[in-house]
Amino acid sequence: MGKKSRSLITPVIGIVAVVLVVIVTGLLRKSRLDESSQALAISVTESIFVDEDFNVLVDSSHSSLLEQYTAENLILTMGSVTRILGPLEVINSISGSAESSLLPFASNPPRASYSIAMNFSGNSANAVIEMLYENDAWLLTMYRIDSQLLND
């Protein structure tokens, strides 16, 4: 192997190594973001429908959600929803994930969206949740309950 070939191999190996490190770091970050956003979605939902702690919704809300609804309105709405649906029996499933760039210098903040299927006293409902990762924390940008019983 000539000198020229060896001199090209070293930078190529270095570049490949850097790319691999960036990708692996991005994948690990995405995994952590998935876990933490899903944990918040479940935690907020359980706090609302098991503990009837509606303040957790306000405390976890992004300013954009609080611009649409006052804290008092969010609390009153969730209180009304829990009275209509009755006690939470079971969380059936959660689907969704966080979306984030694998590149560490991406300009768009990570976002997450989830749908949580639940049963309440024989009635089914879905919590539809959207979040934004800001200042090292997930914040809710939307929290909506969809149920046929609420539409009637």
Side-chain angles (χ1 to χ4, degrees):
M1 191 179 275
K3 235 180 181 182
K4 192 172 188 176
S5 296
R6 266 187 254 146
S7 65
L8 286 176
I9 290 176
T10 303
V12 169
I13 290 173
I15 290 170
V16 169
V18 168
V19 168
L20 285 175
V21 167
V22 167
I23 290 173
V24 168
T25 302
L27 289 171
L28 291 173
R29 181 173 184 259
K30 166 105 170 69
S31 177
R32 285 192 308 272
L33 291 171
D34 276 338
E35 289 174 16
S36 61
S37 61
Q38 187 177 67
L40 178 64
I42 292 170
S43 172
V44 167
T45 301
E46 287 178 337
S47 292
I48 291 169
F49 295 108
V50 174
D51 304 330
E52 293 191 18
D53 177 6
F54 310 123
N55 289 317
V56 72
L57 179 59
V58 174
D59 295 341
S60 301
S61 290
H62 187 265
S63 60
S64 65
L65 181 58
L66 295 173
E67 287 171 4
Q68 296 173 30
Y69 306 99
T70 65
E72 182 180 357
N73 188 281
L74 285 173
I75 290 169
L76 290 173
T77 299
M78 284 301 119
S80 176
V81 167
T82 58
R83 282 189 297 282
I84 292 169
L85 294 177
L88 175 65
E89 292 177 349
V90 66
I91 292 178
N92 297 316
S93 65
I94 181 168
S95 60
S97 66
E99 296 175 11
S100 65
S101 173
L102 294 180
L103 302 176
F105 46 82
S107 61
N108 294 334
R111 295 185 169 276
S113 58
Y114 292 96
S115 178
I116 300 178
M118 304 172 283
N119 283 348
F120 296 83
S121 302
N123 301 302
S124 63
N126 285 311
V128 180
I129 304 164
E130 292 182 3
M131 300 177 216
L132 178 68
Y133 193 73
E134 193 173 88
N135 298 323
D136 295 326
W138 285 107
L139 298 170
L140 303 171
T141 56
M142 183 181 72
Y143 193 95
R144 184 182 77 231
I145 302 299
D146 292 337
S147 172
Q148 187 62 39
L149 189 60
L150 296 173
N151 293 334
D152 292 339

